[in-house]
Amino acid sequence: MNASPRSFVPYLIAVVLALATVGSPGMVQAHITKVQITAIETPTFGGYSWPGVGQYEKIVGKAFGEVDPLDPKNAGIVDIERAPRNARGKVEYSFDFYILKPIDLSKGAHKVMYEPPNRGGKTWGNFARMPGGNDPGSVTAPTVLANAFLMPRGYTMVWSGWDKAAGTSTANFNTTITLPIARNPDGSPITGPAYEYIVTSGTSPFTLSYPAATLDKSKATLTHRVRLDDAPIVVPAA
């Protein structure tokens, strides 16, 4: 008996999320432990149907995963040995995902376009011949959809959170990631040297990527250069 197209959805999500989070199997070993579907829109794109492919659906949710801090493949993750662990001794994380796929996968291309969002936002617009915005499934203009690049070819499109710079808000389908905070064995914050690259032509304030461990200016160095290949000049503390 042939399975219905809808029965392929859990399999599709599992495969795609594993691909999105693991990346290269030789680099990081991770496992998805739970998937929460928060929204399904069937059909999406206002019900538009592409010849030979049919209609699409939108699947939105959050995935939960864990990595083994003792696995040598994960040694490249900074301070993973100091991250909090669950009862299984693993380090947990979670991330949002947004998927657009043909409702009938048998008519699809069996190929995935995966894009790591830029600070939580989708940037595929020019490539896909689609308007900008973080909810492409909301586009309903027939002339726009007919001219799109990927959907007429049956591609599945996937976005998943990976960048802490995306913040914590999931409004307007901003894709975020939740990561644990590593600490020293005694529970104190981890401190160390940080490098900030500031490009400015004015006097606007600049927010550090990480808060300063101390406000003692003698423990910080500020340099200045006009051109990228100029030798940096130390700016005396005020």
Side-chain angles (χ1 to χ4, degrees):
M1 180 176 66
N2 293 329
S4 67
R6 294 288 302 170
S7 68
F8 286 97
V9 173
Y11 170 77
L12 172 73
I13 293 174
V15 171
V16 167
L17 293 182
L19 171 67
T21 54
V22 175
S24 172
M27 293 179 63
V28 175
Q29 184 66 39
H31 299 280
I32 299 300
T33 58
K34 181 173 65 173
V35 174
Q36 286 183 345
I37 305 298
T38 57
I40 296 179
E41 185 176 70
T42 304
T44 192
F45 294 118
Y48 186 87
S49 181
W50 283 271
V53 176
Q55 296 175 316
Y56 267 67
E57 66 181 346
K58 175 170 63 182
I59 305 172
V60 181
K62 181 180 289 289
F64 299 79
E66 63 182 19
V67 296
D68 185 352
L70 303 181
D71 190 323
K73 295 185 181 68
N74 299 328
I77 302 176
V78 177
D79 290 327
I80 189 172
E81 72 280 0
R82 300 182 182 183
R85 306 180 188 184
N86 59 23
R88 295 182 296 276
K90 304 298 192 297
V91 176
E92 297 180 332
Y93 63 97
S94 63
F95 60 92
D96 306 312
F97 62 85
Y98 182 109
I99 299 174
L100 295 169
K101 58 170 284 292
I103 293 177
D104 186 347
L105 286 175
S106 69
K107 296 180 180 179
H110 308 293
K111 296 178 181 178
V112 171
M113 188 288 304
Y114 173 71
E115 180 189 52
N118 182 9
R119 297 174 178 84
K122 301 173 180 64
T123 63
W124 74 318
N126 290 336
F127 162 71
R129 295 204 295 260
M130 287 285 289
N134 242 12
D135 185 18
S138 65
V139 177
T140 59
T143 54
V144 172
L145 297 173
N147 187 54
F149 179 63
L150 293 172
M151 288 79 79
R153 292 165 173 80
Y155 274 73
T156 291
M157 288 77 70
V158 180
W159 294 264
S160 65
W162 69 277
D163 185 2
K164 189 67 174 176
T168 59
S169 173
T170 57
N172 192 32
F173 300 102
N174 183 56
T175 46
T176 71
I177 188 168
T178 301
L179 300 169
I181 298 177
R183 294 185 177 275
N184 289 315
D186 62 0
S188 61
I190 296 174
T191 62
Y195 179 84
E196 298 280 354
Y197 189 78
I198 306 171
V199 179
T200 180
S201 59
T203 58
S204 300
F206 179 83
T207 302
L208 299 175
S209 298
Y210 296 94
T214 176
L215 298 181
D216 183 353
K217 294 182 180 180
S218 67
K219 296 183 178 181
T221 302
L222 178 65
T223 63
H224 170 265
R225 53 185 168 181
V226 176
R227 301 174 184 83
L228 187 61
D229 56 354
D230 287 348
I233 300 173
V234 175
V235 178

